[in-house]
Amino acid sequence: EMMQAMIFAAGLGTRLKPLTDHLPKALVEVGGEPLLKRVILRLRDAGVTRFVVNVHHFAGQIVDYLNANNNFGLDIRVSDESEQLLDTGGGIRHAASLFDSHYPILIHNVDILSNVDLGKFYRLDPKVMCPECGVPHVMAGAQLLVSWRKTRRYLLFNDQMLLVGWVNIETGEVKTPWPDVREALSQVKFPLSVGEEQPLLLAGRYHMYAFSGIHTFSPTLFVKMAGWPEKFPIMDFYLKICRDVPVKGYVKNNLRLLDVGKQDTLAKAEQFLKTL
């Protein structure tokens, strides 16, 4: 069975300076192994057979590293963004020709360590309830791995766990293609403070969850990217198209996830690995 994944390894890693003054974030080591190797082997163990890695910052170092390790004996393709960093949405689109168009793409940031069963997540049933007939046969264009945690920015889902919007609970900024969602949120008093426990529904009807940076993307969505700028975040794209194409949230309870993007988390990362 074909399983394909894209690893975002193009970022500048500015929060990891001075390490990243001479090294791409993907090659920063945790527990004696570069982040990139950890993610590749983890995805391989989950069943991934085709990999795409995007590169920009010190791109040559990543290519040399993969070559020196014989691509770990795997089918690894490099999507070169040396000329311009394309952000997550532009990055996926730039790599479109490197994927098999018949299978979803598991998207994973290079700096994430977690306890997620990636194989199980990839194989989740992509069907959602058809709004007309109430039978599950409409295919989700994307599935987002989310969890409850205390943060500032949340994705909003309806009772079917379909994406309907995004909110920054400090500033009250809202992104949604649905006028009724915007209207309902205009009644909410921001800034909103949340505790460790998940709050009741926002505006009485929306489930708030934090995005993990792990999602599956259906290649059927590439045509919907026509007309988008060269560089754009994938979440802005999802928040625009979720009105026409179901974007489904999958809640992972007791998610343990560490974003090794900053110096202080780098120190915690080795300890974190031992607990996974």
Side-chain angles (χ1 to χ4, degrees), residues 173-201:
E173 184 192 353
V174 169
K175 293 179 186 178
T176 175
W178 304 94
D180 56 331
V181 175
R182 189 171 295 282
E183 172 59 30
L185 293 181
S186 68
Q187 311 301 313
V188 178
K189 297 267 184 291
F190 294 103
L192 191 70
S193 67
V194 294
E196 295 304 324
E197 288 304 303
Q198 185 170 358
L200 293 169
L201 302 179

PDB file of all heavy atoms in Angstrom, residues 173-201:
ATOM      1  N   GLU A 173      -9.245  38.376  16.597  1.00  0.00           N
ATOM      2  CA  GLU A 173      -9.203  38.222  15.138  1.00  0.00           C
ATOM      3  C   GLU A 173      -9.837  36.883  14.760  1.00  0.00           C
ATOM      4  O   GLU A 173      -9.594  35.862  15.400  1.00  0.00           O
ATOM      5  CB  GLU A 173      -7.749  38.258  14.638  1.00  0.00           C
ATOM      6  CG  GLU A 173      -7.659  38.210  13.113  1.00  0.00           C
ATOM      7  CD  GLU A 173      -6.239  37.947  12.584  1.00  0.00           C
ATOM      8  OE1 GLU A 173      -5.271  37.919  13.377  1.00  0.00           O
ATOM      9  OE2 GLU A 173      -6.123  37.757  11.362  1.00  0.00           O
ATOM     10  N   VAL A 174     -10.666  36.919  13.703  1.00  0.00           N
ATOM     11  CA  VAL A 174     -11.385  35.723  13.266  1.00  0.00           C
ATOM     12  C   VAL A 174     -11.128  35.500  11.780  1.00  0.00           C
ATOM     13  O   VAL A 174     -11.102  36.458  11.004  1.00  0.00           O
ATOM     14  CB  VAL A 174     -12.914  35.906  13.490  1.00  0.00           C
ATOM     15  CG1 VAL A 174     -13.707  34.800  12.800  1.00  0.00           C
ATOM     16  CG2 VAL A 174     -13.225  35.940  14.980  1.00  0.00           C
ATOM     17  N   LYS A 175     -10.937  34.237  11.394  1.00  0.00           N
ATOM     18  CA  LYS A 175     -10.879  33.893   9.971  1.00  0.00           C
ATOM     19  C   LYS A 175     -11.922  32.810   9.746  1.00  0.00           C
ATOM     20  O   LYS A 175     -11.911  31.788  10.425  1.00  0.00           O
ATOM     21  CB  LYS A 175      -9.508  33.339   9.580  1.00  0.00           C
ATOM     22  CG  LYS A 175      -8.382  34.355   9.653  1.00  0.00           C
ATOM     23  CD  LYS A 175      -7.038  33.733   9.266  1.00  0.00           C
ATOM     24  CE  LYS A 175      -5.912  34.738   9.490  1.00  0.00           C
ATOM     25  NZ  LYS A 175      -4.584  34.164   9.169  1.00  0.00           N
ATOM     26  N   THR A 176     -12.838  33.062   8.817  1.00  0.00           N
ATOM     27  CA  THR A 176     -13.854  32.058   8.486  1.00  0.00           C
ATOM     28  C   THR A 176     -14.497  32.439   7.161  1.00  0.00           C
ATOM     29  O   THR A 176     -14.673  33.626   6.875  1.00  0.00           O
ATOM     30  CB  THR A 176     -14.956  31.961   9.564  1.00  0.00           C
ATOM     31  OG1 THR A 176     -15.957  31.041   9.111  1.00  0.00           O
ATOM     32  CG2 THR A 176     -15.602  33.301   9.870  1.00  0.00           C
ATOM     33  N   PRO A 177     -14.873  31.461   6.341  1.00  0.00           N
ATOM     34  CA  PRO A 177     -15.601  31.783   5.112  1.00  0.00           C
ATOM     35  C   PRO A 177     -17.112  31.849   5.342  1.00  0.00           C
ATOM     36  O   PRO A 177     -17.872  32.114   4.425  1.00  0.00           O
ATOM     37  CB  PRO A 177     -15.246  30.618   4.185  1.00  0.00           C
ATOM     38  CG  PRO A 177     -15.043  29.455   5.106  1.00  0.00           C
ATOM     39  CD  PRO A 177     -14.504  30.028   6.403  1.00  0.00           C
ATOM     40  N   TRP A 178     -17.552  31.591   6.584  1.00  0.00           N
ATOM     41  CA  TRP A 178     -18.981  31.527   6.880  1.00  0.00           C
ATOM     42  C   TRP A 178     -19.457  32.783   7.613  1.00  0.00           C
ATOM     43  O   TRP A 178     -19.060  33.022   8.734  1.00  0.00           O
ATOM     44  CB  TRP A 178     -19.286  30.322   7.773  1.00  0.00           C
ATOM     45  CG  TRP A 178     -18.839  29.003   7.229  1.00  0.00           C
ATOM     46  CD1 TRP A 178     -17.672  28.369   7.492  1.00  0.00           C
ATOM     47  CD2 TRP A 178     -19.566  28.163   6.336  1.00  0.00           C
ATOM     48  NE1 TRP A 178     -17.620  27.173   6.814  1.00  0.00           N
ATOM     49  CE2 TRP A 178     -18.777  27.018   6.104  1.00  0.00           C
ATOM     50  CE3 TRP A 178     -20.822  28.260   5.718  1.00  0.00           C
ATOM     51  CZ2 TRP A 178     -19.181  25.978   5.273  1.00  0.00           C
ATOM     52  CZ3 TRP A 178     -21.227  27.214   4.890  1.00  0.00           C
ATOM     53  CH2 TRP A 178     -20.419  26.090   4.674  1.00  0.00           C
ATOM     54  N   PRO A 179     -20.364  33.552   7.000  1.00  0.00           N
ATOM     55  CA  PRO A 179     -20.889  34.753   7.670  1.00  0.00           C
ATOM     56  C   PRO A 179     -21.537  34.451   9.023  1.00  0.00           C
ATOM     57  O   PRO A 179     -21.403  35.224   9.970  1.00  0.00           O
ATOM     58  CB  PRO A 179     -21.929  35.294   6.688  1.00  0.00           C
ATOM     59  CG  PRO A 179     -21.513  34.750   5.350  1.00  0.00           C
ATOM     60  CD  PRO A 179     -20.867  33.428   5.608  1.00  0.00           C
ATOM     61  N   ASP A 180     -22.223  33.302   9.152  1.00  0.00           N
ATOM     62  CA  ASP A 180     -22.912  33.032  10.422  1.00  0.00           C
ATOM     63  C   ASP A 180     -21.912  32.732  11.545  1.00  0.00           C
ATOM     64  O   ASP A 180     -22.177  33.016  12.717  1.00  0.00           O
ATOM     65  CB  ASP A 180     -23.947  31.906  10.276  1.00  0.00           C
ATOM     66  CG  ASP A 180     -23.351  30.617   9.744  1.00  0.00           C
ATOM     67  OD1 ASP A 180     -22.353  30.689   8.994  1.00  0.00           O
ATOM     68  OD2 ASP A 180     -23.871  29.533  10.064  1.00  0.00           O
ATOM     69  N   VAL A 181     -20.761  32.168  11.191  1.00  0.00           N
ATOM     70  CA  VAL A 181     -19.727  31.924  12.206  1.00  0.00           C
ATOM     71  C   VAL A 181     -19.175  33.275  12.682  1.00  0.00           C
ATOM     72  O   VAL A 181     -19.038  33.521  13.878  1.00  0.00           O
ATOM     73  CB  VAL A 181     -18.578  31.040  11.647  1.00  0.00           C
ATOM     74  CG1 VAL A 181     -17.456  30.897  12.675  1.00  0.00           C
ATOM     75  CG2 VAL A 181     -19.119  29.669  11.237  1.00  0.00           C
ATOM     76  N   ARG A 182     -18.912  34.154  11.715  1.00  0.00           N
ATOM     77  CA  ARG A 182     -18.401  35.486  12.058  1.00  0.00           C
ATOM     78  C   ARG A 182     -19.399  36.228  12.951  1.00  0.00           C
ATOM     79  O   ARG A 182     -19.037  36.846  13.947  1.00  0.00           O
ATOM     80  CB  ARG A 182     -18.125  36.281  10.771  1.00  0.00           C
ATOM     81  CG  ARG A 182     -17.404  37.592  10.978  1.00  0.00           C
ATOM     82  CD  ARG A 182     -16.974  38.220   9.655  1.00  0.00           C
ATOM     83  NE  ARG A 182     -15.972  37.431   8.945  1.00  0.00           N
ATOM     84  CZ  ARG A 182     -14.680  37.411   9.249  1.00  0.00           C
ATOM     85  NH1 ARG A 182     -14.227  38.139  10.260  1.00  0.00           N
ATOM     86  NH2 ARG A 182     -13.833  36.677   8.559  1.00  0.00           N
ATOM     87  N   GLU A 183     -20.666  36.111  12.587  1.00  0.00           N
ATOM     88  CA  GLU A 183     -21.733  36.771  13.355  1.00  0.00           C
ATOM     89  C   GLU A 183     -21.787  36.227  14.785  1.00  0.00           C
ATOM     90  O   GLU A 183     -21.831  36.997  15.759  1.00  0.00           O
ATOM     91  CB  GLU A 183     -23.070  36.531  12.617  1.00  0.00           C
ATOM     92  CG  GLU A 183     -24.313  36.974  13.365  1.00  0.00           C
ATOM     93  CD  GLU A 183     -24.318  38.470  13.700  1.00  0.00           C
ATOM     94  OE1 GLU A 183     -23.715  39.263  12.933  1.00  0.00           O
ATOM     95  OE2 GLU A 183     -24.915  38.833  14.744  1.00  0.00           O
ATOM     96  N   ALA A 184     -21.735  34.909  14.938  1.00  0.00           N
ATOM     97  CA  ALA A 184     -21.798  34.296  16.269  1.00  0.00           C
ATOM     98  C   ALA A 184     -20.608  34.731  17.124  1.00  0.00           C
ATOM     99  O   ALA A 184     -20.751  34.999  18.320  1.00  0.00           O
ATOM    100  CB  ALA A 184     -21.821  32.774  16.143  1.00  0.00           C
ATOM    101  N   LEU A 185     -19.429  34.827  16.494  1.00  0.00           N
ATOM    102  CA  LEU A 185     -18.227  35.179  17.260  1.00  0.00           C
ATOM    103  C   LEU A 185     -18.179  36.661  17.607  1.00  0.00           C
ATOM    104  O   LEU A 185     -17.466  37.070  18.519  1.00  0.00           O
ATOM    105  CB  LEU A 185     -16.965  34.771  16.494  1.00  0.00           C
ATOM    106  CG  LEU A 185     -16.777  33.251  16.339  1.00  0.00           C
ATOM    107  CD1 LEU A 185     -15.498  32.944  15.588  1.00  0.00           C
ATOM    108  CD2 LEU A 185     -16.756  32.546  17.686  1.00  0.00           C
ATOM    109  N   SER A 186     -18.955  37.462  16.878  1.00  0.00           N
ATOM    110  CA  SER A 186     -18.961  38.906  17.183  1.00  0.00           C
ATOM    111  C   SER A 186     -19.635  39.158  18.534  1.00  0.00           C
ATOM    112  O   SER A 186     -19.487  40.223  19.122  1.00  0.00           O
ATOM    113  CB  SER A 186     -19.675  39.693  16.074  1.00  0.00           C
ATOM    114  OG  SER A 186     -21.058  39.368  16.094  1.00  0.00           O
ATOM    115  N   GLN A 187     -20.370  38.147  19.040  1.00  0.00           N
ATOM    116  CA  GLN A 187     -21.027  38.282  20.348  1.00  0.00           C
ATOM    117  C   GLN A 187     -20.100  37.907  21.515  1.00  0.00           C
ATOM    118  O   GLN A 187     -20.435  38.113  22.670  1.00  0.00           O
ATOM    119  CB  GLN A 187     -22.268  37.360  20.420  1.00  0.00           C
ATOM    120  CG  GLN A 187     -23.211  37.459  19.217  1.00  0.00           C
ATOM    121  CD  GLN A 187     -23.743  38.873  19.013  1.00  0.00           C
ATOM    122  OE1 GLN A 187     -24.180  39.519  19.950  1.00  0.00           O
ATOM    123  NE2 GLN A 187     -23.662  39.355  17.762  1.00  0.00           N
ATOM    124  N   VAL A 188     -18.943  37.306  21.176  1.00  0.00           N
ATOM    125  CA  VAL A 188     -18.027  36.830  22.225  1.00  0.00           C
ATOM    126  C   VAL A 188     -17.153  37.971  22.722  1.00  0.00           C
ATOM    127  O   VAL A 188     -16.690  38.801  21.941  1.00  0.00           O
ATOM    128  CB  VAL A 188     -17.124  35.678  21.690  1.00  0.00           C
ATOM    129  CG1 VAL A 188     -16.143  35.209  22.747  1.00  0.00           C
ATOM    130  CG2 VAL A 188     -17.988  34.515  21.202  1.00  0.00           C
ATOM    131  N   LYS A 189     -16.939  38.037  24.034  1.00  0.00           N
ATOM    132  CA  LYS A 189     -16.091  39.088  24.608  1.00  0.00           C
ATOM    133  C   LYS A 189     -14.630  38.639  24.579  1.00  0.00           C
ATOM    134  O   LYS A 189     -14.248  37.692  25.254  1.00  0.00           O
ATOM    135  CB  LYS A 189     -16.499  39.358  26.068  1.00  0.00           C
ATOM    136  CG  LYS A 189     -17.909  39.894  26.235  1.00  0.00           C
ATOM    137  CD  LYS A 189     -17.897  41.432  26.270  1.00  0.00           C
ATOM    138  CE  LYS A 189     -19.296  41.993  26.535  1.00  0.00           C
ATOM    139  NZ  LYS A 189     -20.225  41.774  25.396  1.00  0.00           N
ATOM    140  N   PHE A 190     -13.817  39.325  23.774  1.00  0.00           N
ATOM    141  CA  PHE A 190     -12.368  39.061  23.738  1.00  0.00           C
ATOM    142  C   PHE A 190     -11.664  40.216  24.452  1.00  0.00           C
ATOM    143  O   PHE A 190     -12.195  41.311  24.484  1.00  0.00           O
ATOM    144  CB  PHE A 190     -11.889  38.968  22.280  1.00  0.00           C
ATOM    145  CG  PHE A 190     -12.461  37.785  21.536  1.00  0.00           C
ATOM    146  CD1 PHE A 190     -13.493  37.949  20.619  1.00  0.00           C
ATOM    147  CD2 PHE A 190     -11.970  36.507  21.766  1.00  0.00           C
ATOM    148  CE1 PHE A 190     -14.024  36.858  19.936  1.00  0.00           C
ATOM    149  CE2 PHE A 190     -12.499  35.406  21.077  1.00  0.00           C
ATOM    150  CZ  PHE A 190     -13.528  35.588  20.167  1.00  0.00           C
ATOM    151  N   PRO A 191     -10.458  40.016  25.010  1.00  0.00           N
ATOM    152  CA  PRO A 191      -9.728  38.757  25.096  1.00  0.00           C
ATOM    153  C   PRO A 191     -10.439  37.746  26.006  1.00  0.00           C
ATOM    154  O   PRO A 191     -11.095  38.108  26.968  1.00  0.00           O
ATOM    155  CB  PRO A 191      -8.374  39.161  25.688  1.00  0.00           C
ATOM    156  CG  PRO A 191      -8.624  40.462  26.370  1.00  0.00           C
ATOM    157  CD  PRO A 191      -9.719  41.129  25.617  1.00  0.00           C
ATOM    158  N   LEU A 192     -10.270  36.479  25.626  1.00  0.00           N
ATOM    159  CA  LEU A 192     -10.910  35.383  26.342  1.00  0.00           C
ATOM    160  C   LEU A 192      -9.810  34.627  27.070  1.00  0.00           C
ATOM    161  O   LEU A 192      -8.786  34.322  26.480  1.00  0.00           O
ATOM    162  CB  LEU A 192     -11.545  34.482  25.287  1.00  0.00           C
ATOM    163  CG  LEU A 192     -12.505  33.393  25.711  1.00  0.00           C
ATOM    164  CD1 LEU A 192     -13.800  34.021  26.218  1.00  0.00           C
ATOM    165  CD2 LEU A 192     -12.808  32.490  24.515  1.00  0.00           C
ATOM    166  N   SER A 193     -10.022  34.348  28.362  1.00  0.00           N
ATOM    167  CA  SER A 193      -8.969  33.575  29.023  1.00  0.00           C
ATOM    168  C   SER A 193      -9.458  32.142  29.170  1.00  0.00           C
ATOM    169  O   SER A 193     -10.628  31.902  29.449  1.00  0.00           O
ATOM    170  CB  SER A 193      -8.632  34.175  30.386  1.00  0.00           C
ATOM    171  OG  SER A 193      -9.728  34.025  31.245  1.00  0.00           O
ATOM    172  N   VAL A 194      -8.548  31.186  28.929  1.00  0.00           N
ATOM    173  CA  VAL A 194      -8.909  29.778  29.073  1.00  0.00           C
ATOM    174  C   VAL A 194      -8.014  29.134  30.121  1.00  0.00           C
ATOM    175  O   VAL A 194      -6.870  29.534  30.295  1.00  0.00           O
ATOM    176  CB  VAL A 194      -8.785  29.009  27.733  1.00  0.00           C
ATOM    177  CG1 VAL A 194      -9.785  29.507  26.719  1.00  0.00           C
ATOM    178  CG2 VAL A 194      -7.371  29.078  27.185  1.00  0.00           C
ATOM    179  N   GLY A 195      -8.562  28.168  30.822  1.00  0.00           N
ATOM    180  CA  GLY A 195      -7.769  27.436  31.800  1.00  0.00           C
ATOM    181  C   GLY A 195      -7.185  26.177  31.169  1.00  0.00           C
ATOM    182  O   GLY A 195      -7.229  26.017  29.951  1.00  0.00           O
ATOM    183  N   GLU A 196      -6.661  25.296  32.006  1.00  0.00           N
ATOM    184  CA  GLU A 196      -6.088  24.047  31.482  1.00  0.00           C
ATOM    185  C   GLU A 196      -7.195  23.132  30.954  1.00  0.00           C
ATOM    186  O   GLU A 196      -6.997  22.377  30.023  1.00  0.00           O
ATOM    187  CB  GLU A 196      -5.295  23.314  32.582  1.00  0.00           C
ATOM    188  CG  GLU A 196      -4.061  24.068  33.072  1.00  0.00           C
ATOM    189  CD  GLU A 196      -3.089  24.431  31.948  1.00  0.00           C
ATOM    190  OE1 GLU A 196      -2.937  23.634  30.999  1.00  0.00           O
ATOM    191  OE2 GLU A 196      -2.487  25.524  32.013  1.00  0.00           O
ATOM    192  N   GLU A 197      -8.371  23.224  31.595  1.00  0.00           N
ATOM    193  CA  GLU A 197      -9.497  22.391  31.163  1.00  0.00           C
ATOM    194  C   GLU A 197     -10.100  22.967  29.891  1.00  0.00           C
ATOM    195  O   GLU A 197     -10.208  24.178  29.753  1.00  0.00           O
ATOM    196  CB  GLU A 197     -10.578  22.370  32.250  1.00  0.00           C
ATOM    197  CG  GLU A 197     -10.187  21.562  33.477  1.00  0.00           C
ATOM    198  CD  GLU A 197      -9.814  20.128  33.133  1.00  0.00           C
ATOM    199  OE1 GLU A 197     -10.651  19.417  32.539  1.00  0.00           O
ATOM    200  OE2 GLU A 197      -8.671  19.729  33.446  1.00  0.00           O
ATOM    201  N   GLN A 198     -10.533  22.095  29.019  1.00  0.00           N
ATOM    202  CA  GLN A 198     -11.149  22.585  27.786  1.00  0.00           C
ATOM    203  C   GLN A 198     -12.459  23.300  28.108  1.00  0.00           C
ATOM    204  O   GLN A 198     -13.295  22.777  28.831  1.00  0.00           O
ATOM    205  CB  GLN A 198     -11.418  21.413  26.846  1.00  0.00           C
ATOM    206  CG  GLN A 198     -11.935  21.892  25.506  1.00  0.00           C
ATOM    207  CD  GLN A 198     -11.968  20.785  24.487  1.00  0.00           C
ATOM    208  OE1 GLN A 198     -11.572  19.665  24.763  1.00  0.00           O
ATOM    209  NE2 GLN A 198     -12.441  21.095  23.304  1.00  0.00           N
ATOM    210  N   PRO A 199     -12.629  24.526  27.564  1.00  0.00           N
ATOM    211  CA  PRO A 199     -13.852  25.281  27.867  1.00  0.00           C
ATOM    212  C   PRO A 199     -15.066  24.698  27.154  1.00  0.00           C
ATOM    213  O   PRO A 199     -14.932  23.881  26.255  1.00  0.00           O
ATOM    214  CB  PRO A 199     -13.540  26.675  27.326  1.00  0.00           C
ATOM    215  CG  PRO A 199     -12.555  26.448  26.232  1.00  0.00           C
ATOM    216  CD  PRO A 199     -11.743  25.247  26.647  1.00  0.00           C
ATOM    217  N   LEU A 200     -16.223  25.139  27.567  1.00  0.00           N
ATOM    218  CA  LEU A 200     -17.436  24.764  26.855  1.00  0.00           C
ATOM    219  C   LEU A 200     -17.364  25.385  25.467  1.00  0.00           C
ATOM    220  O   LEU A 200     -16.444  26.124  25.151  1.00  0.00           O
ATOM    221  CB  LEU A 200     -18.659  25.279  27.627  1.00  0.00           C
ATOM    222  CG  LEU A 200     -18.849  24.576  28.977  1.00  0.00           C
ATOM    223  CD1 LEU A 200     -19.892  25.300  29.810  1.00  0.00           C
ATOM    224  CD2 LEU A 200     -19.253  23.117  28.760  1.00  0.00           C
ATOM    225  N   LEU A 201     -18.365  25.110  24.653  1.00  0.00           N
ATOM    226  CA  LEU A 201     -18.330  25.562  23.271  1.00  0.00           C
ATOM    227  C   LEU A 201     -18.233  27.078  23.151  1.00  0.00           C
ATOM    228  O   LEU A 201     -18.922  27.818  23.849  1.00  0.00           O
ATOM    229  CB  LEU A 201     -19.594  25.074  22.566  1.00  0.00           C
ATOM    230  CG  LEU A 201     -19.776  23.551  22.585  1.00  0.00           C
ATOM    231  CD1 LEU A 201     -21.069  23.168  21.881  1.00  0.00           C
ATOM    232  CD2 LEU A 201     -18.596  22.868  21.932  1.00  0.00           C
TER     233      LEU A 201
END
